[in-house]
Amino acid sequence: QVQLVESGGGSVQAGGSLRLSCAASRYDYRYMGWFRQAAGKEREGVAAIDSIGSTKYADSVKGRFTISKDNAKNILYLQMNSLKPEDTAMYYCAASSLNIVFPLWRGGYNAWGQGTQVTVSS
């Protein structure tokens, strides 16, 4: 059972930056990803990375967000730049031991963190 603990959320003004971190208890996953859920909306995939470092981003964050991982420390990161009010959401770290066809599809992940809130004001 993978345990995931997110940190780094907070409140920023539009145009600002935040870096989210996710500490994982295991390293032998096939995919890790960041998802977000805004109030009244479904959880959506933001970014994902596989075991060899290939990445996938939602169109809404391409060029602004960067997913990366430190394999030695078992930590997943999400660097978020040029934040917009529409980025406001609870952000979740997720991990999967499955061979996912669609890395941004939440159904492919079998372990989730508790979430960290990101609020972007205009």
Side-chain angles (χ1 to χ4, degrees):
Q1 183 75 22
V2 179
Q3 291 184 334
L4 305 170
V5 180
E6 303 98 334
S7 61
S11 297
V12 295
Q13 290 190 329
S17 297
L18 283 174
R19 188 177 78 160
L20 305 183
S21 299
C22 172
S25 60
R26 284 170 47 185
Y27 65 92
D28 56 337
Y29 48 81
R30 290 183 181 237
Y31 285 88
M32 291 194 78
W34 288 99
F35 290 74
R36 67 185 181 187
Q37 188 167 15
K41 296 188 177 181
E42 292 189 355
R43 193 171 298 188
E44 63 176 359
V46 175
I49 188 167
D50 68 13
S51 58
I52 61 172
S54 297
T55 57
K56 180 75 173 178
Y57 295 93
D59 288 343
S60 59
V61 306
K62 281 181 182 177
R64 300 189 298 121
F65 290 11
T66 303
I67 188 170
S68 62
K69 57 181 180 173
D70 184 330
N71 289 327
K73 297 181 179 179
N74 292 350
I75 297 177
L76 180 73
Y77 298 103
L78 184 68
Q79 179 65 45
M80 305 186 294
N81 299 327
S82 302
L83 283 161
K84 304 175 180 180
E86 51 264 43
D87 295 318
T88 295
M90 185 71 79
Y91 283 71
Y92 297 90
C93 174
S96 177
S97 57
L98 305 174
N99 191 15
I100 304 173
V101 176
F102 302 106
L104 297 182
W105 176 55
R106 63 180 181 177
Y109 291 80
N110 48 15
W112 293 86
Q114 294 300 307
T116 185
Q117 178 68 35
V118 172
T119 302
V120 185
S121 58
S122 58

mmCIF file of all heavy atoms in Angstrom, residues 12-16 36 38-39 41 44 64-65 81-91 117-122:
data_model
loop_
_atom_site.group_PDB
_atom_site.id
_atom_site.type_symbol
_atom_site.label_atom_id
_atom_site.label_comp_id
_atom_site.label_asym_id
_atom_site.label_seq_id
_atom_site.Cartn_x
_atom_site.Cartn_y
_atom_site.Cartn_z
ATOM 1 N N VAL A 12 -1.871 32.427 -3.218
ATOM 2 C CA VAL A 12 -1.003 33.329 -3.972
ATOM 3 C C VAL A 12 -1.860 34.222 -4.852
ATOM 4 O O VAL A 12 -3.021 33.904 -5.133
ATOM 5 C CB VAL A 12 0.017 32.579 -4.852
ATOM 6 C CG1 VAL A 12 0.989 31.788 -4.007
ATOM 7 C CG2 VAL A 12 -0.697 31.667 -5.850
ATOM 8 N N GLN A 13 -1.265 35.299 -5.329
ATOM 9 C CA GLN A 13 -1.943 36.157 -6.289
ATOM 10 C C GLN A 13 -1.704 35.631 -7.703
ATOM 11 O O GLN A 13 -0.732 34.916 -7.963
ATOM 12 C CB GLN A 13 -1.440 37.589 -6.159
ATOM 13 C CG GLN A 13 -1.871 38.268 -4.876
ATOM 14 C CD GLN A 13 -1.557 39.752 -4.874
ATOM 15 O OE1 GLN A 13 -0.586 40.189 -5.478
ATOM 16 N NE2 GLN A 13 -2.390 40.528 -4.185
ATOM 17 N N ALA A 14 -2.592 36.004 -8.587
ATOM 18 C CA ALA A 14 -2.444 35.606 -9.988
ATOM 19 C C ALA A 14 -1.073 36.026 -10.509
ATOM 20 O O ALA A 14 -0.598 37.123 -10.199
ATOM 21 C CB ALA A 14 -3.544 36.237 -10.823
ATOM 22 N N GLY A 15 -0.475 35.114 -11.257
ATOM 23 C CA GLY A 15 0.867 35.355 -11.768
ATOM 24 C C GLY A 15 1.967 34.800 -10.883
ATOM 25 O O GLY A 15 3.131 34.735 -11.309
ATOM 26 N N GLY A 16 1.613 34.387 -9.687
ATOM 27 C CA GLY A 16 2.594 33.858 -8.757
ATOM 28 C C GLY A 16 2.910 32.391 -9.009
ATOM 29 O O GLY A 16 2.407 31.776 -9.957
ATOM 30 N N ARG A 36 -6.522 17.626 -9.642
ATOM 31 C CA ARG A 36 -7.107 18.717 -8.881
ATOM 32 C C ARG A 36 -8.617 18.659 -8.971
ATOM 33 O O ARG A 36 -9.171 18.157 -9.935
ATOM 34 C CB ARG A 36 -6.580 20.063 -9.362
ATOM 35 C CG ARG A 36 -7.013 20.462 -10.770
ATOM 36 C CD ARG A 36 -6.318 21.754 -11.186
ATOM 37 N NE ARG A 36 -6.723 22.190 -12.522
ATOM 38 C CZ ARG A 36 -6.167 23.210 -13.165
ATOM 39 N NH1 ARG A 36 -5.181 23.909 -12.599
ATOM 40 N NH2 ARG A 36 -6.593 23.538 -14.362
ATOM 41 N N ALA A 38 -11.755 21.349 -8.188
ATOM 42 C CA ALA A 38 -12.312 22.635 -7.774
ATOM 43 C C ALA A 38 -13.701 22.408 -7.198
ATOM 44 O O ALA A 38 -14.339 21.384 -7.446
ATOM 45 C CB ALA A 38 -12.368 23.591 -8.960
ATOM 46 N N ALA A 39 -14.154 23.365 -6.437
ATOM 47 C CA ALA A 39 -15.464 23.258 -5.797
ATOM 48 C C ALA A 39 -16.552 23.050 -6.850
ATOM 49 O O ALA A 39 -16.644 23.795 -7.825
ATOM 50 C CB ALA A 39 -15.749 24.518 -4.992
ATOM 51 N N LYS A 41 -16.807 20.725 -9.027
ATOM 52 C CA LYS A 41 -16.345 20.121 -10.277
ATOM 53 C C LYS A 41 -15.745 18.749 -10.018
ATOM 54 O O LYS A 41 -15.427 18.392 -8.894
ATOM 55 C CB LYS A 41 -15.322 21.028 -10.954
ATOM 56 C CG LYS A 41 -15.885 22.369 -11.395
ATOM 57 C CD LYS A 41 -14.884 23.145 -12.216
ATOM 58 C CE LYS A 41 -15.471 24.453 -12.719
ATOM 59 N NZ LYS A 41 -14.498 25.225 -13.544
ATOM 60 N N GLU A 44 -9.840 16.301 -11.951
ATOM 61 C CA GLU A 44 -9.241 16.231 -13.276
ATOM 62 C C GLU A 44 -7.734 16.047 -13.200
ATOM 63 O O GLU A 44 -7.087 16.515 -12.256
ATOM 64 C CB GLU A 44 -9.549 17.509 -14.074
ATOM 65 C CG GLU A 44 -8.974 18.773 -13.473
ATOM 66 C CD GLU A 44 -9.203 20.011 -14.344
ATOM 67 O OE1 GLU A 44 -9.787 19.879 -15.432
ATOM 68 O OE2 GLU A 44 -8.796 21.107 -13.923
ATOM 69 N N ARG A 64 3.056 26.078 -18.177
ATOM 70 C CA ARG A 64 3.030 26.770 -16.868
ATOM 71 C C ARG A 64 3.422 25.846 -15.732
ATOM 72 O O ARG A 64 4.053 26.279 -14.769
ATOM 73 C CB ARG A 64 1.629 27.339 -16.606
ATOM 74 C CG ARG A 64 1.159 28.339 -17.640
ATOM 75 C CD ARG A 64 -0.134 29.022 -17.201
ATOM 76 N NE ARG A 64 -1.245 28.088 -17.039
ATOM 77 C CZ ARG A 64 -1.906 27.918 -15.891
ATOM 78 N NH1 ARG A 64 -1.596 28.624 -14.819
ATOM 79 N NH2 ARG A 64 -2.926 27.054 -15.838
ATOM 80 N N PHE A 65 3.038 24.584 -15.819
ATOM 81 C CA PHE A 65 3.308 23.607 -14.756
ATOM 82 C C PHE A 65 4.364 22.617 -15.224
ATOM 83 O O PHE A 65 4.420 22.266 -16.406
ATOM 84 C CB PHE A 65 2.044 22.828 -14.402
ATOM 85 C CG PHE A 65 0.971 23.617 -13.700
ATOM 86 C CD1 PHE A 65 1.029 25.000 -13.596
ATOM 87 C CD2 PHE A 65 -0.109 22.962 -13.127
ATOM 88 C CE1 PHE A 65 0.036 25.722 -12.950
ATOM 89 C CE2 PHE A 65 -1.118 23.662 -12.483
ATOM 90 C CZ PHE A 65 -1.045 25.043 -12.396
ATOM 91 N N ASN A 81 3.769 27.747 -12.184
ATOM 92 C CA ASN A 81 4.097 29.146 -12.461
ATOM 93 C C ASN A 81 2.929 29.823 -13.171
ATOM 94 O O ASN A 81 2.037 29.159 -13.693
ATOM 95 C CB ASN A 81 5.350 29.229 -13.330
ATOM 96 C CG ASN A 81 6.570 28.634 -12.673
ATOM 97 O OD1 ASN A 81 6.725 28.684 -11.459
ATOM 98 N ND2 ASN A 81 7.466 28.063 -13.471
ATOM 99 N N SER A 82 2.972 31.142 -13.187
ATOM 100 C CA SER A 82 1.936 31.929 -13.874
ATOM 101 C C SER A 82 0.536 31.463 -13.478
ATOM 102 O O SER A 82 -0.332 31.239 -14.324
ATOM 103 C CB SER A 82 2.109 31.830 -15.401
ATOM 104 O OG SER A 82 3.388 32.286 -15.789
ATOM 105 N N LEU A 83 0.347 31.323 -12.187
ATOM 106 C CA LEU A 83 -0.922 30.801 -11.692
ATOM 107 C C LEU A 83 -2.080 31.730 -12.006
ATOM 108 O O LEU A 83 -1.923 32.972 -12.015
ATOM 109 C CB LEU A 83 -0.830 30.547 -10.186
ATOM 110 C CG LEU A 83 -0.072 29.273 -9.812
ATOM 111 C CD1 LEU A 83 0.390 29.320 -8.365
ATOM 112 C CD2 LEU A 83 -0.939 28.050 -10.064
ATOM 113 N N LYS A 84 -3.232 31.116 -12.258
ATOM 114 C CA LYS A 84 -4.449 31.838 -12.592
ATOM 115 C C LYS A 84 -5.527 31.516 -11.558
ATOM 116 O O LYS A 84 -5.482 30.448 -10.934
ATOM 117 C CB LYS A 84 -4.938 31.415 -13.977
ATOM 118 C CG LYS A 84 -3.922 31.586 -15.088
ATOM 119 C CD LYS A 84 -4.466 31.031 -16.400
ATOM 120 C CE LYS A 84 -3.460 31.178 -17.538
ATOM 121 N NZ LYS A 84 -3.989 30.630 -18.816
ATOM 122 N N PRO A 85 -6.508 32.386 -11.405
ATOM 123 C CA PRO A 85 -7.593 32.079 -10.461
ATOM 124 C C PRO A 85 -8.274 30.741 -10.768
ATOM 125 O O PRO A 85 -8.694 30.045 -9.834
ATOM 126 C CB PRO A 85 -8.551 33.247 -10.665
ATOM 127 C CG PRO A 85 -7.668 34.385 -11.056
ATOM 128 C CD PRO A 85 -6.607 33.768 -11.913
ATOM 129 N N GLU A 86 -8.339 30.370 -12.021
ATOM 130 C CA GLU A 86 -8.974 29.095 -12.370
ATOM 131 C C GLU A 86 -8.135 27.882 -11.984
ATOM 132 O O GLU A 86 -8.603 26.745 -12.112
ATOM 133 C CB GLU A 86 -9.304 29.043 -13.872
ATOM 134 C CG GLU A 86 -8.155 29.384 -14.792
ATOM 135 C CD GLU A 86 -8.188 30.844 -15.234
ATOM 136 O OE1 GLU A 86 -8.451 31.732 -14.383
ATOM 137 O OE2 GLU A 86 -7.932 31.097 -16.435
ATOM 138 N N ASP A 87 -6.932 28.092 -11.499
ATOM 139 C CA ASP A 87 -6.117 26.990 -10.953
ATOM 140 C C ASP A 87 -6.486 26.676 -9.515
ATOM 141 O O ASP A 87 -5.985 25.706 -8.941
ATOM 142 C CB ASP A 87 -4.634 27.335 -11.032
ATOM 143 C CG ASP A 87 -4.126 27.468 -12.464
ATOM 144 O OD1 ASP A 87 -4.498 26.638 -13.303
ATOM 145 O OD2 ASP A 87 -3.351 28.403 -12.708
ATOM 146 N N THR A 88 -7.340 27.489 -8.918
ATOM 147 C CA THR A 88 -7.767 27.269 -7.543
ATOM 148 C C THR A 88 -8.468 25.924 -7.418
ATOM 149 O O THR A 88 -9.427 25.644 -8.139
ATOM 150 C CB THR A 88 -8.696 28.397 -7.082
ATOM 151 O OG1 THR A 88 -7.968 29.630 -7.059
ATOM 152 C CG2 THR A 88 -9.262 28.110 -5.700
ATOM 153 N N ALA A 89 -7.973 25.088 -6.511
ATOM 154 C CA ALA A 89 -8.526 23.748 -6.338
ATOM 155 C C ALA A 89 -7.785 23.033 -5.213
ATOM 156 O O ALA A 89 -6.741 23.509 -4.749
ATOM 157 C CB ALA A 89 -8.383 22.931 -7.623
ATOM 158 N N MET A 90 -8.327 21.890 -4.824
ATOM 159 C CA MET A 90 -7.580 20.963 -3.982
ATOM 160 C C MET A 90 -6.752 20.109 -4.928
ATOM 161 O O MET A 90 -7.285 19.551 -5.884
ATOM 162 C CB MET A 90 -8.528 20.096 -3.174
ATOM 163 C CG MET A 90 -7.835 19.176 -2.177
ATOM 164 S SD MET A 90 -7.138 20.065 -0.791
ATOM 165 C CE MET A 90 -8.624 20.326 0.178
ATOM 166 N N TYR A 91 -5.460 20.015 -4.646
ATOM 167 C CA TYR A 91 -4.554 19.251 -5.489
ATOM 168 C C TYR A 91 -4.188 17.944 -4.796
ATOM 169 O O TYR A 91 -3.814 17.939 -3.619
ATOM 170 C CB TYR A 91 -3.297 20.054 -5.798
ATOM 171 C CG TYR A 91 -3.530 21.107 -6.858
ATOM 172 C CD1 TYR A 91 -4.283 22.240 -6.594
ATOM 173 C CD2 TYR A 91 -3.009 20.956 -8.141
ATOM 174 C CE1 TYR A 91 -4.526 23.195 -7.574
ATOM 175 C CE2 TYR A 91 -3.233 21.911 -9.128
ATOM 176 C CZ TYR A 91 -4.002 23.020 -8.832
ATOM 177 O OH TYR A 91 -4.235 23.964 -9.807
ATOM 178 N N GLN A 117 -4.537 22.373 -0.537
ATOM 179 C CA GLN A 117 -5.345 23.418 -1.165
ATOM 180 C C GLN A 117 -4.452 24.474 -1.816
ATOM 181 O O GLN A 117 -3.473 24.947 -1.218
ATOM 182 C CB GLN A 117 -6.245 24.087 -0.130
ATOM 183 C CG GLN A 117 -7.085 25.228 -0.662
ATOM 184 C CD GLN A 117 -8.163 24.767 -1.641
ATOM 185 O OE1 GLN A 117 -8.729 23.692 -1.483
ATOM 186 N NE2 GLN A 117 -8.427 25.576 -2.659
ATOM 187 N N VAL A 118 -4.816 24.839 -3.037
ATOM 188 C CA VAL A 118 -4.178 25.943 -3.745
ATOM 189 C C VAL A 118 -5.249 26.974 -4.066
ATOM 190 O O VAL A 118 -6.270 26.646 -4.667
ATOM 191 C CB VAL A 118 -3.503 25.462 -5.053
ATOM 192 C CG1 VAL A 118 -3.021 26.645 -5.885
ATOM 193 C CG2 VAL A 118 -2.339 24.530 -4.738
ATOM 194 N N THR A 119 -5.010 28.212 -3.636
ATOM 195 C CA THR A 119 -5.956 29.294 -3.879
ATOM 196 C C THR A 119 -5.229 30.430 -4.579
ATOM 197 O O THR A 119 -4.215 30.926 -4.074
ATOM 198 C CB THR A 119 -6.574 29.794 -2.571
ATOM 199 O OG1 THR A 119 -7.226 28.705 -1.904
ATOM 200 C CG2 THR A 119 -7.590 30.886 -2.847
ATOM 201 N N VAL A 120 -5.754 30.831 -5.736
ATOM 202 C CA VAL A 120 -5.141 31.899 -6.516
ATOM 203 C C VAL A 120 -6.134 33.053 -6.605
ATOM 204 O O VAL A 120 -7.241 32.888 -7.113
ATOM 205 C CB VAL A 120 -4.756 31.424 -7.926
ATOM 206 C CG1 VAL A 120 -4.021 32.531 -8.667
ATOM 207 C CG2 VAL A 120 -3.892 30.168 -7.859
ATOM 208 N N SER A 121 -5.733 34.201 -6.115
ATOM 209 C CA SER A 121 -6.614 35.367 -6.118
ATOM 210 C C SER A 121 -6.254 36.301 -7.273
ATOM 211 O O SER A 121 -5.093 36.405 -7.667
ATOM 212 C CB SER A 121 -6.523 36.095 -4.793
ATOM 213 O OG SER A 121 -5.192 36.496 -4.549
ATOM 214 N N SER A 122 -7.266 36.992 -7.768
ATOM 215 C CA SER A 122 -7.040 37.912 -8.907
ATOM 216 C C SER A 122 -6.642 39.288 -8.431
ATOM 217 O O SER A 122 -6.725 39.617 -7.258
ATOM 218 C CB SER A 122 -8.305 37.983 -9.749
ATOM 219 O OG SER A 122 -9.389 38.413 -8.961
#
